[in-house]
């Protein structure tokens, strides 16, 4: 059947074209630059053939990552490529200003999710769905993504916080080898196939630093413990303890060299995953100490010995089956390692306890050989499943952060790939059912939802046909009748299940489904389901029993009696615990089957994914042999068709992956109106598509003008982004306005963000300029205020100083006036009682002038008060002119006669002066200090006869007596 994709046939031989292999070889020889195309949307035309050629060209050039629109295609190189995952390369993608311009890589997807959590328009949690077939590299991809987040989300705040962050990151990374050792196994398609699904939630705080993680697991393939298909192996941990234990541990765990175990097939194969020391060291970092590890490995060794137990057919239904002779040693060793009593263990495996009747009577029925083996396998699966769940809880308790310490998360979903084996049972049905649900989620998110949203928003869109797997999902899980409902109904019926009868019921009840196939040539009861990746045949034998997953209650009670410390934790004593597999009579309740539990957990996972922004990584396996540089076109082509990659490329290339509501668009890009030219744009400035989009929809009055202004600024942004001197190409409209959202391409979003950053830069410069101007004005005002304050203070201090000087001068002036007044009063009193008796004789060198009576009286007073007269004569104020000279002369004149006169001899002339005071009794020295007055020591009018040098006046008594 030919499928048409956008008018191009997907059949390589259509229209007489050459076979695909020859066409690819010719293409590779003619178009060598094809390996330089980083995005499959650039391939023209986009068909399966051209996409296949591009992938092969890049694979041969050792380029293993290619974009396909919104999806990253990862080709498994099947060889070590260490340079692709160096920490330096991680930091390069993390530090790049625009990671989308770097080469496609899983680190680019990781950086995009990390930046979306930090600065998305509408911040939401992120998730990465890693899908692909078994062996395509999903586990390696998830491991590298965890290492990337551990590097870029480190906390550099302080040394203490950095050390705590490093410890958390190391524990998150150490959870990988532990979970791979206990949950991965070697299958036909992959040496390290995950036999369980896991969703790792990396928890980030408000500053986008990784504070913890949480692990959720789905559907562990616990049947692998007791059953392994041909050429497959058990879980890695069993091979690790058998190959990596030392001599003492081998003796303690009863694992001698060369021992064979029926549950340990293909032990001679050596894989990279058989590294026991790495697992033990990782467990130690997760908080599992050495004694606990020893208990774990001892229990695992006990399960290996339990698998060697064989029962002989009794031949009588009333008699229990006995142990074979070669199994008794293994039985005792297993009981010893599990710390279980031998007799109760053997009795539990041989005899079945049945409760019947309203009185709940207990009946003991011996089991057949098949039932004994089934109970033995059930015991091993129960212990291993509880141990795996306990390890997951220990890991979560070690790495999970407090709910208040994280706000967002990035989820990594690593689930089993699509599986199709020669013998497919319930495990493959659940795995493929999960892949169908994830494929529907991918289709709904990127293909169908995109097209439907374009139609709802009124955008013209040419629809692309895509593979909708809803019909297959209705067949598996539909209501009221589906494969799951019929299997669950068989579990509820109180009768033995028949494989042929189950096949008949499925074929008759679901005959109208186009996804249900028939294989009339098959001799075994089976049915065929046509999945999106191809048809798979499922055997009905043992399907109902696996769905029931019966756990006899006596097995649980037996394990609760174990004295092993680990088994006591795994099986705590609970008297209220009742088994759901053995209900009877009126107390029968609906059985919670494996399919029901898996369906519930899958629905919960999808709810988490719907609440996040998903990112898809499609892992492709170039060949099924795991050989490097080998690209098998047929196998790759089937995987491309299965994952709907071509339809994804078509819609991503021609569509609008960015969708933002009007309100959020205006809130973020309203500032772009600043870039709008001053001259209003005419309606013809917009493209016809944009104009029709605006005229076709009614928008709120407040948002429509704002949106129009923002869109009018796009030509200016495009012109600014055009390279100077380059050709101005007329690009088609890359943005559309719907009824409630704005649709745009990645290039338009990058253009808007560039314009927004430009406007913010201008605003920042404006704010900085205004702030600097404000600061400068403030500093100038402060400087002027300081100058005014300083001037006022200096003026006040000067006034205060002048006031103090004025006050002091006033006090001195008053004291001086007071003293003058008093001296004048004393002088007047002495002048009143004095009587002049002799006339003064002038010196020979002077001419004698007759003096008036008043001056004669004044001279007599001065003679009597000659010391005061000397002071007054040299004072800057007082008598002037002739009177001054007279005063000086009178003070120093010696009387010519008289008995009461006294001779005074100066230092120059040795003349005598008659004193009115008492006679001195010896030599007297007068020492005059410098006067504080300004002109006190300066004589304004010196004369030739002026007497000076009276700082020392000698009055000698013998001369006075001689006179």
């Amino acid at each position: 059947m030919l499928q048409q994709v956008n008018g191009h046939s997907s059949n390589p031989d259509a229209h007489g074209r050459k076979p695909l292999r020859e066409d690819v070889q010719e293409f590779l020889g003619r178009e060598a630059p094809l390996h330089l195309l980083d995005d499959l949307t650039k391939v023209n035309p986009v068909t399966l053939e051209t996409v296949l050629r591009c992938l092969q060209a890049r694979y041969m050039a050792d380029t293993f990552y290619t974009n396909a629109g919104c999806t990253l295609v990862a080709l498994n190189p099947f060889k070590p490529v260490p340079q692709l995952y160096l920490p330096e390369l991680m930091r390069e993608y993390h530090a790049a200003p625009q990671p989308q311009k770097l080469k496609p890589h899983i680190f680019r997807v990781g950086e995009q999710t990390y930046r979306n959590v930090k600065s998305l328009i509408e911040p939401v949690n992120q998730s990465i769905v890693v899908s692909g077939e078994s062996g395509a590299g999903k586990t390696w991809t998830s491991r590298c993504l965890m290492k990337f987040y551990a590097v870029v989300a480190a906390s550099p705040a302080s040394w203490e916080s950095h050390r705590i962050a490093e410890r958390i990151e190391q524990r998150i990374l150490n959870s990988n080898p532990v979970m791979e050792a206990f949950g991965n196994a070697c299958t036909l398609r992959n040496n390290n196939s995950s036999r369980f699904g896991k969703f790792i939630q990396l928890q980030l705080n408000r500053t986008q630093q990784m504070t913890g993680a949480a692990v959720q697991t789905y559907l562990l393939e616990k049947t692998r413990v007791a059953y392994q298909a041909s050429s497959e192996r058990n879980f890695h941990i069993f091979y690790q303890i058998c190959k990596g234990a030392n001599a003492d541990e081998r003796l303690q765990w009863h694992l001698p060299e060369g021992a064979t175990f029926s549950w340990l097939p293909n032990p001679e194969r050596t894989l990279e995953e058989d590294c026991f020391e790495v697992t033990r060291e990782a467990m130690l970092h997760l908080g599992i100490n050495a004694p606990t590890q020893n208990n774990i490995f001892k229990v695992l060794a006990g399960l290996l010995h339990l698998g060697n137990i064989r029962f002989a057919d009794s031949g009588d239904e009333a008699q229990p089956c006995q142990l074979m002779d070669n199994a008794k040693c293994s039985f005792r060793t297993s009981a010893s390692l599990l710390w279980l009593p031998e007799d109760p263990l053997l009795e539990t495996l041989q005899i079945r306890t049945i409760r019947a009747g309203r009185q709940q009577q207990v009946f003991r029925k011996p089991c057949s050989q098949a039932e004994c083996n089934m109970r033995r396998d059930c015991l091993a699966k129960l212990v291993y499943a509880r141990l795996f769940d306990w390890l997951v809880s220990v890991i979560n308790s070690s790495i999970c952060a407090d709910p208040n310490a994280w706000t967002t998360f990035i989820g990594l979903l690593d689930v089993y790939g699509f599986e199709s084996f020669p013998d497919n049972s319930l495990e493959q049905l659940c795995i493929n059912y999960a892949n169908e649900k994830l494929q529907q989620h991918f289709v709904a998110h990127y293909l169908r939802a995109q097209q439907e949203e374009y139609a709802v928003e009124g955008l013209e869109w040419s629809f692309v046909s895509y593979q909708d797997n809803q019909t297959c999902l209705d067949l598996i899980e539909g209501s009221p009748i589906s494969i799951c409902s019929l299997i669950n109904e068989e579990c509820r019926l109180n009768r033995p299940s028949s494989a042929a009868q189950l096949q008949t019921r499925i074929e008759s009840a679901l005959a109208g489904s186009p996804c249900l196939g028939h294989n009339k040539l098959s001799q075994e009861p089976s049915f065929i389901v046509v999945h999106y990746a191809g048809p798979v045949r499922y055997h009905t034998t043992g399907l109902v029993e696996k769905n029931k997953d019966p756990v006899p209650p006596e097995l649980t009670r037996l394990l609760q009696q174990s004295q092993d410390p680990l088994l006591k934790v795994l099986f705590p004593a609970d008297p209220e615990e009742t088994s759901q597999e053995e209900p009877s009579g009126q107390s029968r309740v609906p059985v919670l089957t494996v399919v029901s539990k898996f369906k519930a957990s899958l629905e919960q996972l999808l709810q988490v994914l719907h609440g996040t922004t998903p990112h898809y990584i499609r892992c492709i396996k170039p060949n099924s042999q795991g050989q490097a540089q080998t690209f098998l076109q047929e196998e790759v082509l089937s995987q491309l068709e299965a994952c709907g990659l071509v339809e994804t490329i078509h819609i991503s290339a021609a569509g609008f992956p960015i969708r933002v509501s009007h309100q959020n668009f205006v809130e973020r890009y309203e500032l772009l109106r600043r870039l709008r030219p001053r001259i209003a744009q005419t309606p013809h400035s917009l493209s016809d598509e944009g104009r029709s989009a605006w005229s076709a929809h009614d928008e709120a009055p407040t948002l429509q003008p704002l949106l129009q202004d923002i869109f009018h600024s796009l030509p200016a942004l495009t012109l600014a982004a055009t390279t100077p001197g380059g050709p101005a190409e007329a690009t088609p409209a890359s943005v559309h306005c719907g009824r409630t959202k704005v649709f745009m391409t990645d290039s338009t979003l990058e253009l808007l963000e560039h314009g927004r950053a430009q406007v913010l830069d201008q605003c920042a410069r404006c704010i900085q300029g205004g702030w600097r101007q404000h600061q400068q004005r403030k500093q100038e005002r402060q400087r002027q205020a300081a100058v005014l304050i300083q001037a006022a203070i200096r003026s006040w201090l000067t006034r205060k100083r002048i006031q103090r000087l004025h006050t002091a001068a006033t006090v001195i002036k008053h004291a001086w006036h007071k003293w003058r007044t008093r001296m004048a009063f004393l002088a007047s009193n002495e002048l009143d009682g004095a009587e002049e008796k002799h006339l003064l004789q002038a010196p020979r060198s002077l001419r004698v002038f007759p003096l008036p009576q008043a001056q004669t009286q004044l001279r007599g007073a001065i003679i009597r008060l000659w010391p005061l007269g000397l002071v007054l004569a040299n004072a800057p104020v007082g008598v002037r002119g002739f009177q001054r000279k007279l005063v000086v002369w009178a003070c120093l004149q010696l009387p010519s006669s008289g008995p009461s006169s006294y001779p005074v001899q100066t230092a120059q002339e040795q003349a005598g002066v008659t004193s009115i005071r008492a006679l001195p009794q010896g030599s007297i020295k007068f020492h005059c200090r410098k006067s504080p007055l300004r002109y006190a020591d300066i004589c304004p009018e010196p004369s030739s006869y002026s007497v000076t040098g009276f700082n020392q006046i000698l009055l000698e008594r013998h001369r006075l007596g001689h006179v």
Side-chain angles (χ1 to χ4, degrees), residues 924-930 950-953:
I924 298 175
K925 295 182 180 180
F926 293 92
H927 298 276
C928 299
R929 289 185 298 177
K930 186 176 180 181
F950 279 88
N951 59 341
Q952 184 178 359
I953 301 176

Side-chain angles (χ1 to χ4, degrees), residues 436 468-476 483 510-518 527-532 534-536 538:
E436 289 283 354
D468 190 356
N469 61 343
Q470 185 59 45
T471 305
C472 183
L473 287 174
D474 292 338
L475 173 65
I476 298 176
I483 295 177
L510 303 173
S513 176
C515 294
L516 182 65
H518 307 277
F527 61 92
I528 297 176
V529 177
V530 181
H531 293 281
Y532 74 95
V536 179
Y538 299 97

